[in-house]
Amino acid sequence: MERRKAISTQKKLLCDLKEKDNTDFPGCDHCPEDRKNWMSTLALDKLHVNKIVWPGTHDSATNKIGIPFISRPFARTQSLSIYNQLVMGTRVLDIRVQKDGRVCHGILVSYNVDAVISDVKKFLSETQSEIIILEIRTEFGHDDPPEFDKYLENQLGEFLIHQDDSVFNKTVAEILPKRVICVWKPRKSPQPKHGSPLWSAGYLKDNWIDTDLPETKFESNMKHLSEQQPVTSRKYFYRVENTVTPQADNPVLCVKPVTNRIRPHARLFIKECICRGYGDRLQIYSTDFIDEDFVDACIGLTNARIEGKL
């Protein structure tokens, strides 16, 4: 009962804040004509990599994880395939793998990572100017797939943007025709080195906390974001995840109803970032069960940066 009361109180705090302050911010009314090609609709010669607000998905390849109606509701954080996420406008993917190359989330498994790579390559073949950040990590408690760095280089070689600090200050126009920043985070294998086709773990950072309390996560995200340098002063990507996580001491263990405690407040977080003076620090912004409104908010803020409105 105490846990339920705490959750109810925190949900009300966010709703009250939303009602008090609204969710307007520079670019909030921007509506992209083509989400599949949204980068192409902006000024590519003014679109700097470090100023993009990258819409991302958390645990991206879990749409078919586990057993339907049995274990899947406890691990699935996305309902769309990788390809359909990219078409909707997602530009940062969070993929976890185990030793045999299958996508996993904890002990639950899904399809082989080949399916992810295939979807990425299909999307790249259908677009010309869209840049993707593909983060692939060995899941906690698992061993690295053997020679996985070579696999990624062989599969994506022609598209890979090599690890180089200068990339952050370049525009998309300057980077093309290369299209993928691939961050490989092994558990035990050597990290990719400077100049490598792959990027090492330190280039994509976050401060994840394990909680199902929405206001706690909202304020934790804000605190950690406030501790970052502005996007123009750092040589790494920083991610904020607009998600909460089911907890064993709460009767609600399915992902969707839990994460929906914070998911509707994505625009509120952007508004509060700006109001509290941290609008120049937001960069990768990820969610569970991504939708068009989340993507549009990220694109709108990116466009506002290009136009000097922020």
Side-chain angles (χ1 to χ4, degrees):
M1 290 298 294
E2 289 299 317
R3 295 282 292 132
R4 289 189 177 189
K5 183 178 179 180
I7 291 167
S8 178
T9 299
Q10 292 210 2
K11 288 169 65 176
K12 186 176 186 303
L13 285 170
L14 290 180
C15 288
D16 289 348
L17 182 61
K18 186 175 183 178
E19 185 176 340
K20 174 186 175 184
D21 290 347
N22 70 57
T23 56
D24 292 345
F25 55 84
C28 66
D29 56 352
H30 182 80
C31 186
E33 297 178 1
D34 181 4
R35 293 185 185 90
K36 183 177 181 179
N37 294 282
W38 67 261
M39 288 186 179
S40 304
T41 67
L42 305 180
L44 297 180
D45 59 337
K46 297 180 180 178
L47 184 58
H48 288 83
V49 169
N50 58 7
K51 292 186 179 180
I52 297 170
V53 181
W54 301 77
T57 49
H58 164 241
D59 238 336
S60 306
T62 54
N63 57 309
K64 292 186 178 180
I65 200 162
I67 302 172
F69 308 110
I70 298 176
S71 58
R72 186 169 296 171
F74 302 105
R76 186 171 71 166
T77 61
Q78 307 297 331
S79 56
L80 299 175
S81 69
I82 295 298
Y83 173 76
N84 286 329
Q85 289 175 42
L86 292 168
V87 168
M88 184 180 286
T90 300
R91 293 296 177 267
V92 180
L93 299 172
D94 161 21
I95 310 297
R96 292 99 182 278
V97 294
Q98 60 183 27
K99 187 176 182 179
D100 64 1
R102 285 193 293 174
V103 172
C104 62
H105 184 151
I107 62 172
L108 298 179
V109 297
S110 185
Y111 39 71
N112 194 280
V113 72
D114 289 344
V116 173
I117 301 301
S118 178
D119 274 7
V120 168
K121 291 167 75 171
K122 179 182 178 182
F123 174 77
L124 292 171
S125 72
E126 295 173 356
T127 57
Q128 293 184 335
S129 305
E130 305 303 301
I131 306 295
I132 298 170
I133 299 176
L134 173 62
E135 178 199 35
I136 304 188
R137 73 179 87 170
T138 302
E139 178 69 307
F140 180 78
H142 291 273
D143 292 329
D144 302 323
E147 298 188 328
F148 197 67
D149 53 346
K150 294 180 181 178
Y151 165 82
L152 292 172
E153 291 174 25
N154 289 336
Q155 290 292 320
L156 297 169
E158 64 181 300
F159 301 109
L160 292 173
I161 300 165
H162 286 218
Q163 182 182 150
D164 185 346
D165 288 358
S166 69
V167 167
F168 292 94
N169 293 322
K170 290 184 177 180
T171 64
V172 170
E174 291 173 315
I175 289 173
L176 294 172
K178 301 298 184 180
R179 310 274 300 281
V180 179
I181 295 172
C182 185
V183 182
W184 165 226
K185 297 182 174 182
R187 288 284 167 188
K188 297 178 181 178
S189 302
Q191 288 282 333
K193 297 180 180 180
H194 184 77
S196 163
L198 307 178
W199 294 62
S200 56
Y203 280 103
L204 203 170
K205 303 179 182 181
D206 55 34
N207 292 100
W208 180 79
I209 66 165
D210 188 13
T211 182
D212 64 350
L213 297 172
E215 200 256 354
T216 296
K217 184 64 177 289
F218 189 97
E219 291 300 332
S220 173
N221 282 342
M222 194 70 68
K223 174 183 178 294
H224 289 299
L225 184 64
S226 74
E227 295 167 351
Q228 306 304 312
Q229 294 178 315
V231 294
T232 54
S233 300
R234 62 185 189 234
K235 301 298 183 183
Y236 60 88
F237 296 102
Y238 185 76
R239 172 171 51 205
V240 171
E241 290 187 336
N242 189 57
T243 64
V244 287
T245 309
Q247 300 296 305
D249 64 348
N250 191 283
V252 181
L253 294 176
C254 295
V255 172
K256 197 161 192 177
V258 173
T259 202
N260 277 348
R261 296 168 188 167
I262 195 170
R263 189 164 158 264
H265 301 296
R267 286 178 176 264
L268 176 63
F269 185 83
I270 294 175
K271 168 66 179 292
E272 285 296 304
C273 281
I274 296 169
C275 289
R276 301 188 198 186
Y278 313 137
D280 61 350
R281 305 176 196 193
L282 188 60
Q283 194 172 47
I284 295 177
Y285 195 28
S286 294
T287 187
D288 292 329
F289 302 103
I290 197 164
D291 58 22
E292 291 90 345
D293 186 68
F294 185 90
V295 170
D296 290 356
C298 295
I299 299 172
L301 189 58
T302 299
N303 192 54
R305 285 178 172 175
I306 294 175
E307 296 180 347
K309 296 178 180 178
L310 184 64

